[in-house]
Amino acid sequence: MKEKWIAYPTILEGETVELIPLEKEHFEELYAAASDKELWELIPTDCSEETQFYKTYEFALSERETGNQYPFVIRHKETGKLIGSTRFFEIYPAEENWKSDGHGSPKSSGEQPSILNANYCSSPSALMY
């Protein structure tokens, strides 16, 4: 297992929404926000299908455990409702001393990095509030 670069639990807060760590207890409410098939027309994975939704979000939790991703749910602060999800993925230190292992993953030179690099993605259900 690789080192986890984002501490759990991490909450990111803005004026309108807060990002809280995805948990299984969020699945039912999040699926209700994601079940509109039209939201997924431009996304490769259609999570309006219940089986696909649960498979995708269970995978997100397992990836957090390995340190590869950090999934969040998006909570609308005024209403308290979950309105979508997002995640950091491909989490690795952004240091010159970290080189690719040939498969897109970082390989350490042994030195501790000082900067974190993480890509992110967001589900279209974030538009529903």
Side-chain angles (χ1 to χ4, degrees):
M1 182 184 301
K2 71 183 204 179
E3 185 171 349
K4 295 178 184 175
W5 298 101
I6 300 175
Y8 174 83
T10 293
I11 298 173
L12 305 175
E13 191 169 345
E15 289 182 31
T16 306
V17 299
E18 61 184 351
L19 305 181
I20 57 177
L22 175 69
E23 303 293 349
K24 282 188 178 186
E25 66 193 41
H26 299 130
F27 284 11
E28 187 176 331
E29 184 178 355
L30 190 59
Y31 177 67
S35 61
D36 182 349
K37 197 162 197 66
E38 192 174 339
L39 293 171
W40 301 95
E41 287 179 354
L42 302 175
I43 307 296
T45 303
D46 181 355
C47 287
S48 68
E49 302 272 334
E50 188 173 13
T51 303
Q52 184 63 49
F53 173 88
Y54 282 93
K55 180 180 175 184
T56 299
Y57 285 88
E58 289 282 351
F59 177 74
L61 290 178
S62 70
E63 286 294 282
R64 180 176 65 209
E65 290 304 310
T66 65
N68 292 324
Q69 299 181 7
Y70 199 101
F72 296 95
V73 291
I74 305 168
R75 181 171 34 214
H76 187 247
K77 290 171 76 171
E78 186 176 320
T79 65
K81 291 183 179 180
L82 299 184
I83 59 171
S85 67
T86 190
R87 71 182 81 181
F88 292 124
F89 63 98
E90 296 179 357
I91 301 171
Y92 58 90
E95 295 277 337
E96 287 186 9
N97 61 341
W98 285 73
K99 307 295 182 202
S100 173
D101 66 0
H103 301 286
S105 299
K107 183 168 67 175
S108 173
S109 66
E111 295 180 37
Q112 191 70 307
S114 58
I115 299 172
L116 176 68
N117 184 21
N119 294 311
Y120 71 95
C121 67
S122 182
S123 78
S125 56
L127 304 174
M128 302 299 295
Y129 67 88

